[in-house]
Amino acid sequence: MTTTHPTTDERQELVRLTADLLGRHCGPEQLRERLDAGTAHTPELWGRLAETGLVSALVAEERGGAGLDPSYLSGVLVSLGEHAVPEPFLETAVVATSVLAAFPDSALAVSWLERIGAGDALVAVRLGALTPYVVHAGDADLVLDLAEDGTVRALLPADVDVTPVQALDPLRPLATVIRRGEDAGTVLGVAPAAVERARVLAVAGAACLLAGASRRLLDLTVEYVGVRRQFDRPVGSFQAVKHAIADLAVMVDMATSAALSAFDAVDEPDARRRAWAAKAYAGDAADRANVSALQLHGGIGFTWEYHLHLWLKRVMGLAASYGTTVTLRRELAVELLARTGEATER
Amino acid sequence: MTTTHPTTDERQELVRLTADLLGRHCGPEQLRERLDAGTAHTPELWGRLAETGLVSALVAEERGGAGLDPSYLSGVLVSLGEHAVPEPFLETAVVATSVLAAFPDSALAVSWLERIGAGDALVAVRLGALTPYVVHAGDADLVLDLAEDGTVRALLPADVDVTPVQALDPLRPLATVIRRGEDAGTVLGVAPAAVERARVLAVAGAACLLAGASRRLLDLTVEYVGVRRQFDRPVGSFQAVKHAIADLAVMVDMATSAALSAFDAVDEPDARRRAWAAKAYAGDAADRANVSALQLHGGIGFTWEYHLHLWLKRVMGLAASYGTTVTLRRELAVELLARTGEATER
Amino acid sequence: MSAEMSTETSTVEEFRAEVRAWLEAHVPAEPLPSWTERAGFDLHRAWERTLFEGGYAAVDWPAAYGGRDAGLRRSIAFAEEYYRAGAPERINMGGLYLLGPVLMQYGTPEQCERWIPDLLACRTIWCQGFSEPESGSDLASLRTRAERDGDHYVVNGQKIWTSMGGFADWIFALVRTDPEVGRRRKHHGITFLCIDLRSPGVEVRPLAMVDGTRGFAEVFFTDVRVPVENVVGEVDQGWRVAMSTLGFERGAVFGDHAKFTADVEALAALVRVRGLEDDTRALDELGRVLVETEVYRANVYRLAGIAEAGGDLDSTASINKVFWTQMQHDIFATGLRLMEEDGAVVGDPAAVPYADAATRRSWADWHHRYWYARAAMIFGGTNEIQRNIISERVLGLPMEPRP
Amino acid sequence: MSAEMSTETSTVEEFRAEVRAWLEAHVPAEPLPSWTERAGFDLHRAWERTLFEGGYAAVDWPAAYGGRDAGLRRSIAFAEEYYRAGAPERINMGGLYLLGPVLMQYGTPEQCERWIPDLLACRTIWCQGFSEPESGSDLASLRTRAERDGDHYVVNGQKIWTSMGGFADWIFALVRTDPEVGRRRKHHGITFLCIDLRSPGVEVRPLAMVDGTRGFAEVFFTDVRVPVENVVGEVDQGWRVAMSTLGFERGAVFGDHAKFTADVEALAALVRVRGLEDDTRALDELGRVLVETEVYRANVYRLAGIAEAGGDLDSTASINKVFWTQMQHDIFATGLRLMEEDGAVVGDPAAVPYADAATRRSWADWHHRYWYARAAMIFGGTNEIQRNIISERVLGLPMEPRP
């Protein structure tokens, strides 16, 4: 498989397209409607993402997609994060398409790929220890269960007990998923490399979403302190406020860099390290964004009526998913010690 | 033993007396002279501390001292920290006097108490895991070795190999101390309670010294940013500078409170917890003081010629002595888990 | 507060034993439901009544109002026992911690007799009416007007962030009584006024918060008539009363350290439930907040000593507020972090019994307290405002240039 | 820099292999002694000569000056191999990272030919003369004067914090050539001037630093005559050249990430030496800085991509500077913290071999780098100044009121 990375212009065009779509169909008002309705996913928004070709971007051309390299979607994921999109895009359009493509001889895998490409299937993904809670499991037509040993199972709703938990971020619903017995579902095959790639895509993709959501918190804060006046001047003209925002901007900028780069590098030899580092750092940046944005908004940020909390909760939810900063950086440290320890012994 | 705590007036008077003495005889110029001469301790300053009665304050009246409760010295220790006094006052006048007093039937212990009270002896203290390096061991006439099991040994210079290490803070010299053989020195007795009290005095006393040294860093910084002008205004009028200093002041103030309170409480049932917490927090406050003071001084703070580094190094040295923040707070957490775990089981 | 006025004859330890026995007999076996909903609120109010009848509503307040004249040390001992027993959250905080002390300092004897006993018995719930939508950190820019009309003031305007506003009976508010002088010197011409929320023209709109609870409200005043005798302190001199109130809000609530100690014990329970007793990173995080609570406890006792000696605590209030609000945030943020993936789950995850019997905490409580901890860094004057005060008024750093 | 100008025909990986082989053959077996003392300095200078003769002094610089025209990607590969090999610290940094790029942007062809080859061969050591005792953050308030006298300038004044000052041959300095216009608009009337430090009237006084080393100096000018042809850029328009220099100082030094990666590997060695491989707190600290270096590496490559596409890196410089200086501080502060009690010992404690063979670090090096990391948060414009720039110029937040 030769990978072709997008040009800068192609990237910008895709991000522009995504932002434009989401600006029209996934603004704070639409998010609030879903919140009031108690639903995250809507067929309408998913349909639009599919129409635009974003959902099928990574599906092979012969399966009805565009057959693009994942790196075409890194900027798109950041944009989805900026808009707090309440859909399983990362899981369905990125992770599931990647895993299913590893089983070209499985008619079942091929048929799911085609359904995804047609915009007709939502897929949730269970990734071992990375997903004690499975996101959007309740909405999913298919749960892909990727075991640590590389076994990939396709689970239909009838194969699993999905128990929703009360997620902090209601627009990113979580559930525990338990297979109904040892035989439930269909084993597509055993593909350790595909599962490892899926893990890297999920972790690096979550880093992109998180960086995007953190950037929105930064932008909302910059906007608010520019408008809010106290003591006859904009709050944003106070140096302590400015410096707090500057520190946040540094983290968000670097988190975005690392997330994009990690996602673009999923097929490089050091992909895992880059993904783990990007998600770990994005979690720290998100934490700073959460704390600073609310502090600098003051009271209004605490109200249900104002929309800041949508992103506060989104970053908290994403930071706790697909590996937390603590677990990821510990794994990296262990790996570094093993790697450099060997070097010393040589 | 009934303990009598000093009145507020008595405390203030003692601190005033100490500050006055040190202001005259232990200013930055005198410290620099010692630095240039390559010595920390000087008989002159020690003699003055002894003359004033500070060295013998805790020695019983019948041994030539004032027989005071340790709490008389908490404020004095903070003041010694503020002046970066390069003498083993905590070890000699506080810890050693306390330990030696636990052996009233030992002629050797009594004679050392009397020598201390007369200002004629410097004592270094080895406290097991708390002192991998022993401070002022090279200057000491006596090393008290307090083992974890409560065994107290008096070691003369001939009993030990003292190997100086290159301390970050040359005015607080460190050495490793190894007994010359199993039989070296004299066992004064086995007194677990006295040794535990010595540990608490050392740790709480180090917290006082550290809080004092941190306060000096705060004061030096407040003074400097009030005078230093850039952009046609005092650097201290910039809000980001002010807030950094305010955050430091919060920590220094709280560290001082905790250190004084812990030192005054050495005979309370929760003395150990208070001392450990005070020293752990003082270490954090000192770290902040170190970082902020140098950053806010800018270049001049890095020069050997300017005296800021005396306190930068002092706080780093003290923070690494008598238990670091990391080890102390871990021990506290373990103790809390044990204590509350028992409660749950009851 | 009445640091030295104790008429209580028991020793502090005798008093502590008495309190402990009473609490063991009276604290509800099950934690009460949250007071942010009516049912939970009524149960909390009933508990406050029980406390009052036991003589424990505010042990250091004068016996004449229903307190015990117990002095500061016994008051601290009471709080320590209260939190140790896992007793319900107090609900009339604006009255207990702010208005009561303010009335004892600035109120007339008539005002004290009229308002304090009802407050203490929780017959009236008080809320604070300081902030306005355009006047947060810049409190003195407030616009709610009160115009004199005979022996009444006529109040028009809006307050926001009135905590417990949805349940309160009365509000103590800052209103502008002299807009003329206020235009030149904005801290002047402000009056501290107590207003019955059942008065015609008052509208209270509960504010839904980030976690869906409704602990705060907006209060709108339209031609609300308030008797002049409801002014506390002098007319037009309300800023001083307000600053005194904020001093109480920012300063040490003697005994509150015991709440944080209980929180850290709950955190220890969480470490056990997660099986992290041997994880040095978890121990480090637990140890860090444990150290903070120990330091805070030491400071509370230091401040109590100053108060008993008749000293001035003004310069300590801002430092105290920055410290305890950050500590509180550290405690609850640490809890969320130690929960790893479960930090993103609000309800108790089915599989894990996070509600710890010993600490009577549900996981939902942790989230609620977490958001409250976030709010505490803003209310009572943001921590940024406190840092201004610390740097300029405590440390004497030069003022910022005015625009 | 010459991102797209490569005339090198090898692939990046071929080039990398060549560099690696050369370094294996040439890097001294033992780390060189510190350059802050003369003996170590001379050894470092000899090493620079070896590098130059190998064609590796600045691989992306024009071949005409002794570079290799190797382009940005090969330059990054070179740096990665250089730090991986544990090769000596570069000593002519002011020349390599600041003056060289500035000359290529603003200098005349004559100036480039005159100064760059000597710089590259380390025949001349350059230092930076920007800061003055009263002009640190407020650089434009500088007072060193240069008055025109025929075809010379006569320079009087004082510079400070000139790094390597004690060893330098030349200084590139900012001087005030038009004090009149400077009184009204302080960024005007400044000129960027290269001065031979052997000129009569120059006095260099090494500054002893906090750790006793003498890496910096003060430089005093008394009626020093400097030929007018030593002006870089336009007379009176030196502020623009200075800002460009600071941009290089703050922005990414492509390849520097490899230095920090090597530092973190040394930290891993330290964790092993301390026996902390299973201590989750130590792993957390190690993991934190490892993550930072990985993030920084990703960002370097992103910026390289922008540079190769001809994009503008100006807006990224301040963010870059705040990040790498904090990261560097985190790395060395973490080292000291992991050392526990040994963090207060400068020399290698006798009992513990902190010098790790694999990483060629002595414990004294750690301390030196620690203080350097502290300084880096100040030089090149303090991080506070960078935050002003980020908030006002990158994010567009409103300016502070002027006094």
Side-chain angles (χ1 to χ4, degrees), chain B residues 188 234 282:
Chain B
L188 295 178

Side-chain angles (χ1 to χ4, degrees), chain B residues 250-289:
Chain B
V250 169
M251 292 192 81
V252 170
D253 228 46
M254 300 300 282
T256 308
S257 246
L260 290 170
S261 147
F263 195 85
D264 292 350
V266 290
D267 294 307
E268 301 289 325
D270 56 355
R272 185 186 180 93
R273 193 193 319 168
R274 292 165 81 158
W276 261 231
K279 174 67 166 60
Y281 190 79
D284 279 342
D287 187 50
R288 176 70 64 96

Side-chain angles (χ1 to χ4, degrees), chain A residues 344, chain B residues 132-133 165-166 176, chain D residues 31 263 265-276 334-367:
Chain A
T344 311
Chain B
Y133 301 104
V165 295
Q166 195 186 339
T176 55
Chain D
D263 290 337
E265 289 179 4
L267 204 57
L270 205 148
V271 166
R272 274 196 301 275
V273 168
R274 300 283 296 180
L276 295 170
T334 298
L336 292 191
R337 208 160 41 239
L338 289 174
M339 296 298 295
E340 295 283 328
E341 292 83 358
D342 289 337
V345 178
V346 181
D348 287 10
V352 189
Y354 289 115
D356 184 276
T359 54
R360 303 160 58 91
R361 294 289 171 87
S362 73
W363 184 234
D365 280 348
W366 274 96
H367 273 275

Side-chain angles (χ1 to χ4, degrees), chain C residues 314-391:
Chain C
D314 281 1
S315 73
T316 68
S318 293
I319 287 174
N320 192 70
K321 199 246 168 180
V322 170
F323 186 88
W324 80 255
T325 57
Q326 285 183 343
M327 168 180 68
Q328 184 177 239
H329 180 259
D330 286 348
I331 293 171
F332 291 96
T334 299
L336 291 191
R337 208 160 39 239
L338 289 175
M339 296 298 295
E340 294 283 328
E341 293 82 358
D342 290 336
V345 178
V346 181
D348 287 9
V352 189
Y354 289 116
D356 184 275
T359 55
R360 303 159 60 93
R361 294 289 170 88
S362 73
W363 185 233
D365 281 348
W366 273 96
H367 273 276
H368 182 67
R369 290 286 307 279
Y370 169 75
W371 290 111
Y372 178 83
R374 301 285 299 268
M377 298 191 292
I378 291 169
F379 65 56
T382 64
N383 284 11
E384 285 73 21
I385 293 288
Q386 307 307 323
R387 290 187 188 98
N388 286 347
I389 294 171
I390 293 166
S391 56

Side-chain angles (χ1 to χ4, degrees), chain B residues 210-264:
Chain B
L210 198 42
S214 302
R215 180 166 296 284
R216 174 58 76 94
L217 283 171
L218 169 64
D219 292 345
L220 287 169
T221 305
V222 167
E223 189 187 336
Y224 182 75
V225 302
V227 173
R228 169 78 172 174
R229 295 177 70 88
Q230 291 283 273
F231 304 103
D232 303 317
R233 50 192 272 206
V235 166
S237 70
F238 285 96
Q239 197 189 32
V241 171
K242 287 155 91 149
H243 281 205
I245 294 178
D247 280 330
L248 174 57
V250 169
M251 292 192 81
V252 170
D253 228 46
M254 300 300 282
T256 308
S257 246
L260 290 170
S261 147
F263 195 85
D264 292 350

Side-chain angles (χ1 to χ4, degrees), chain C residues 39-96:
Chain C
F41 177 82
D42 289 340
L43 288 167
H44 277 82
R45 194 161 185 161
W47 164 253
E48 288 285 340
R49 188 63 188 239
T50 305
L51 263 184
F52 177 74
E53 285 164 0
Y56 294 115
V59 297
D60 59 332
W61 286 17
Y65 302 141
R68 296 245 327 225
D69 275 328
L72 192 50
R73 298 283 162 173
R74 287 186 198 82
S75 174
I76 292 175
F78 173 81
E80 289 174 344
E81 293 303 319
Y82 191 88
Y83 290 112
R84 174 206 293 255
E89 195 178 342
R90 305 297 299 270
I91 52 166
N92 205 357
M93 287 98 76
L96 283 171

